[in-house]
Amino acid sequence: MGKKPVDSIVRAQAVALSDAGLNQVEISRQLHISRHCVQNAIKKYKETGQYNDFPRTGRPKKIPNRGIRHLKRLVKDDGRLSAAKITSDLNASLPKPVSTRTVRRYLRDLGYEYVVKIKKQWLSNKHRQQRVNWCTRYMHWTPEDWRKVIFSDESTFYVLKRKNQCKIWRLEKEKLLPECIQQTNTGDGGKVGIWGGISGFGATAARIYMENMDGKLYCDVLQHQLKHSMAQIPKTTKILFQQDLAPWHTSNIVKEKIAKLRLDVLDWAPKSPDLNPVEMLWSILDKKLASKPMYSKAALMDRLQEEWDNVDQDLCIKLVESMPERIRKCLKAKGGHFL
């Protein structure tokens, strides 16, 4: 490790004291610097007429500017998977090859992160256009308009497997403690389904079920959970019901049930779960379920019902009122995925 450089003002004082007739030892004692520093300051001033150090070139870059531009081009499209592959392609254009570790360091300096891909539904050009058309049609709706919509959805939860990655703080020696292990089992311990909705009036009643969702079961949900929840809303409010385009939602038996119940259904763009604010609740529920271990489907059903009953009603309203912002983001992304 190098020594701390002497300030240019101190060097100027050393030169001035030398011109005044003091020897190097006396100057060293008076300025509290080594005699060698005094000697170098006087010598540099005589040779260059300056007190400051010359700019240092420093260690040459392992990847020159041109190589960095090439590196940026390589980290695009399908070339993002492996630092080893990126290094191999980059070394073909460099006069001196670099290691994979060096390439990783440069990528981090450029702001890149090596992370898990975000899972999103595949969108064709047709899907994107349909999403844009839907957002354009409703972009002028206000939060007050969206409060009158009941957003609904189904989700599946597993006894042992969580939707979110579970991260904890632990010491290396604690990694095998029961509270530090995410237990798994064949079949993930069983699954349970839940139907629920939110609006500007809070959360609806939830339907928790162990069988697979189909048209018959969905009709029962509309007849009981949805109608019961709508009965709690003032009759003067004209309510719209939102559902996605899942096969059981568009079946003939469900269409007949909707007509019989006289539900006003909001049209919906295909493959648009990110536009549905109720999707946020599934992630929140999953985090709460992860706080306490479960070992049976019955326990999972009880916990789901408990957590749904404790959903913050103000949070539901805020999620519904976020629709204008969601629409703006979707239009900005030209119908593509957004966060």
Side-chain angles (χ1 to χ4, degrees), residues 47-86:
E47 292 177 353
T48 65
Q50 295 184 9
Y51 307 111
N52 298 324
D53 284 329
F54 291 115
R56 299 180 182 180
T57 57
R59 181 180 178 181
K61 292 182 178 180
K62 289 191 174 182
I63 303 179
N65 292 336
R66 184 176 180 180
I68 292 176
R69 292 194 294 271
H70 187 202
L71 176 61
K72 290 180 179 179
R73 290 194 294 270
L74 290 174
V75 193
K76 288 184 181 296
D77 301 326
D78 296 329
R80 303 172 179 269
L81 295 179
S82 168
K85 180 64 168 60
I86 294 172

Side-chain angles (χ1 to χ4, degrees), residues 147-164:
R147 289 194 197 105
K148 301 174 185 177
V149 178
I150 295 178
F151 292 91
S152 70
D153 192 30
E154 300 92 8
S155 187
T156 301
F157 291 86
Y158 297 87
V159 174
L160 298 177
K161 184 177 72 173
R162 301 274 64 83
K163 295 176 180 292
N164 304 313

Side-chain angles (χ1 to χ4, degrees), residues 159-174:
V159 174
L160 298 177
K161 184 177 72 173
R162 301 274 64 83
K163 295 176 180 292
N164 304 313
Q165 288 186 336
C166 184
K167 295 184 178 181
I168 60 170
W169 291 100
R170 64 162 174 81
L171 298 173
E172 175 63 23
K173 63 182 180 181
E174 297 176 329

Side-chain angles (χ1 to χ4, degrees), residues 7-53:
D7 191 89
S8 58
I9 297 177
V10 177
R11 295 179 186 180
Q13 291 173 344
V15 173
L17 292 173
S18 176
D19 292 341
L22 275 69
N23 61 42
Q24 294 180 4
V25 175
E26 293 171 334
I27 297 172
S28 173
R29 291 173 181 171
Q30 186 170 336
L31 297 180
H32 304 290
I33 59 176
S34 68
R35 187 188 64 80
H36 186 66
C37 288
V38 175
Q39 182 182 11
N40 285 341
I42 296 172
K43 181 180 179 182
K44 179 175 289 186
Y45 181 74
K46 288 180 179 180
E47 292 177 353
T48 65
Q50 295 184 9
Y51 307 111
N52 298 324
D53 284 329

Side-chain angles (χ1 to χ4, degrees), residues 270-282:
K271 294 198 174 185
S272 298
D274 48 352
L275 284 171
N276 191 346
V278 76
E279 289 281 348
M280 297 292 294
L281 278 185
W282 304 140

